[in-house]
Every structure is written in C-alpha cells, then in structure tokens.
Amino acid sequence: MNLFIAGTDFACALISIVILCAILSTKEQKKQKNRPLIWGIIFLVFFSAADGVSFIMDDFSGNDVIHFYTNLFSYIGADFIITAFVYYITERIREQCDFSKVYARIVFAGSFLDVLYVVYGAYSGALYRIENGKTAYGVLNNYLGIAQFVVVVYFLCVVFIHRKHLEKKFAISVALYFLPPIIAMIVVFINEQLIFTYVAALIAFLIVYVVVVQEDLHASIIGEKIMRKASITDGLTGVLNRKAYSEDVVLFDDQYPSDFVYMSLDVNGLKVVNDSLGHEAGDEIILGASQCMQKCFSSYGKIYRMGGDEFTIILHIDKYDLETVVSEFENEVKNWKGKLVDSLSVSFGYVTVEDIQGLSIFEVASVADKRMYESKSAHYKKKGVDRRGQADAHRALCNLYTKILKINITDDTYSIVNMDVSEQTKEKGFAENSISEWLCS
C-alpha cells in the first residue's frame, strides 16, 4: 500500500511539473498574475515528492534522520500549498469585487498555527516518531489538519457571502477548487494519515489550470486578435487601413501572380462637400464609396483606405471578370444616394500584371496613381470645373515673385518662371536642362 501511495505522489509531482511548465510558457504579464499559483505548484512538486519518499522509507529501512524530515516536509506541505492557493483565489476575487485581504490573512494564520502544531508534534513525538525505520503515529495525529479544515471552510463561507458580486461561473469554480482538499482533509481525519492529500491538491490545481488559467489564455488570445484587427482596420469604413497595406505589399517582393490587379481610387469632390455641407456629409460619401467597393471587389481581394479620400485595392481576378466587376462598380457608384449627399463620384486607375513586369510594388502604385489622376482630370474637365481654382492660384502665386525656380527631381530638369529663356545661357552659369549639372558647375 505504501509503494502505491508513493507512486501516486511521484506521479502527482511529475504532472505538477508539466502544469508548471505550461504556465511559465505564458506571457510575462500572465506569469505575474499567476505567481501565487506558480508557487503553490512548486510547493506541490517538492512536498509530494517528499511524501512519496517518506512512504518508501516506511517499507525500506534507511536513515532515520532523513526519514524524519521527509515526514515533516510532507506534513507541513499542505499548509504551504493552501496558503498559496488561497492567496491566488483572493487576488482573483479582488478583480471582481471589494474583497478584503483580511479574510485571506485569517487563512494564513490558520495555516501558520497548523505548521507550529506539526513542528511541535514532530519534535515532541506526539505527532509521529521514527522507530526502527518505521513511522509510528502519536495521539496528535488524530487532530491533524483541523486548523486547515476550519479556515478553508471559513474562507468558502466568506466567498459564499460575496457570491452576488462575483461571476456565477467563477463562484462555482471557487467551490470546486476547494472540494478536493476538503475531501482529502476528511480522509486524513478518518485514516489518520496523509493518504492521497497531494493527489487532491493536484486535482484542485488542475481545476484551476483548466478553468482559470486556460480561460485567461483564451481571453488573452481573443483580446489580442481584437486589438490586432482594430490596429489594421479603418474606423470609419471598416476596410483595411494604411498599416495593413504597408504590411501586405512587402510580401509581393516584386513577384506578382498571373491574376494580380492593382487599383488606385479617389473620391471626387470631397473638399467641396466638406466645405459646403459639413464633414458629416464628407464622411457619408467616403463611407458610400467604400461600401460600393466592398460590394463589388471584396470577393476578389483586399480594400485599403490610405487616408482621406484615397483608397487602394489589390485584386486577384482575371481580365475578363475584371471588366465585368469594374462595370458593376461604376453602376453602384452612379446609383448611390445618401441622406445628406445625393450623388457620388469616384475616379480610379488600375494596372494588370501584363503592365507591370519588372516593376517594384511602389512603381506599380505610381503607375496606378497616374492613371487614377488622369481619370480625375477627365472627370473635372468634363464637368467644366477648374479643380479648386488651381490655374488661377498658380498664376497669382507666380506674379508675387520676380522669378521662380521649378525643379523636377525625377527627370533632373528645371525651369525658371518669369525669366526669358535667352537669359539662361552657359556664360551666365546656367546648364542647358540638367539641374544636377547646373548645381555642380
């Protein structure tokens, strides 16, 4: 029988180590939260192993001093475990309601008294003594763990009183946590030995691990997913944002699938709507444009709001279906009608994989943007609108200065407004066209 009990103690220690490793593998924040639980499991590992050794030594004669102290460790182990256990439960309850630490301190005091009781009984021989390599139990063994039993039941009663302030599932779980240790204490009273006490503690820790720790991990994972989704989602439209775009485009590495399509889109007239009808109306047409995009394009790829009135769509669609979907999008935009704004216009330009061989994703975006701006210019020209009065503004700006230097860094060219070309000679230090040549001369 002693070997069987020792075997269960060692199995208990091994399973506890597995649980401990699982908890230690969680994030640092969770480890801090579960620190009392971690200590309780560490105590369980050492004290259950000590209990196993003490039962083995009862069957095989050995050093009486070692036998004495392994017995002592196995007796006081339950007090350390219950202390850590109650502290952990107290901290979890305090997350949900105003729960005084005094209740937990009363449990700690009861465990401390029980430790004094065990140490006194062990050294006086009233609890147990080692005779010829065997454990002989004394009269105090009949009252073993009574302090633990009283304070644990007391603590459960306190939790019961506060049950209205706790989640129902958590309150029931707390009762389940303490059920195995209470049963073990009753067994101790009946058998006058620490039979299966640590197995009961292991069951309690398993309940904690499955019900609380795993639930925390699940909630943490869900929370991280929610935060991740929020970080890459545009708050107004619900489509992906620039951050998501930046993360996705680097994956192409200048290699594009055969059905790749890159589209740039821009909502026309947003500034006019904002200025004349207010930003709520401006938000309405942005949202309306995104809804038209989602309805037509979301089945084929990803939609990104780059900021303001600008959108980008990366599609995976063959060119025949693309023509159909683009036509459907144009009809959706044409038929859209809002509460504050009665019409919607979106300019767009796109490139297919045939147009972009050898180009980086950023060059692809530039080509699509250029085609989109051509579409936008055609839209304003068709409406007879000098877009935002740019021509007049440009002329007025030029008239404010004697001469204005215009530089095109991409083409390495320059021009000087309000200066006769005949004055721009090499003798006066001007290069023909190259800005880099001129600046270096």
Side-chain angles (χ1 to χ4, degrees), residues 95-122:
E95 293 174 4
Q96 300 185 38
C97 68
D98 185 18
F99 189 81
S100 176
K101 285 189 175 182
V102 172
Y103 305 127
R105 289 169 183 159
I106 292 174
V107 177
F108 301 160
S111 295
F112 179 71
L113 290 174
D114 200 63
V115 169
L116 294 179
Y117 174 86
V118 168
V119 172
Y120 166 76

Side-chain angles (χ1 to χ4, degrees), residues 275-330:
D275 292 344
S276 59
L277 300 176
H279 287 278
E280 186 177 351
D283 288 346
E284 184 181 62
I285 64 171
I286 291 173
L287 184 58
S290 73
Q291 289 170 344
C292 292
M293 295 176 202
Q294 292 178 72
K295 186 173 182 179
C296 298
F297 297 118
S298 60
S299 300
Y300 301 96
K302 294 182 177 180
I303 304 168
Y304 308 88
R305 184 184 178 201
M306 306 300 284
D309 54 5
E310 300 176 8
F311 291 83
T312 294
I313 304 177
I314 296 178
L315 302 171
H316 296 281
I317 184 173
D318 63 60
K319 59 182 180 181
Y320 303 107
D321 288 336
L322 176 62
E323 293 176 3
T324 302
V325 173
V326 167
S327 178
E328 290 175 355
F329 174 67
E330 289 175 330

Side-chain angles (χ1 to χ4, degrees), residues 41-74:
I41 296 175
I42 292 173
F43 293 149
L44 180 58
V45 171
F46 282 104
F47 291 128
S48 59
D51 192 51
V53 171
S54 70
F55 276 106
I56 289 176
M57 295 188 76
D58 270 346
D59 279 354
F60 301 95
S61 297
N63 188 302
D64 286 354
V65 175
I66 296 176
H67 196 173
F68 175 85
Y69 283 107
T70 54
N71 267 358
L72 181 61
F73 283 165
S74 67

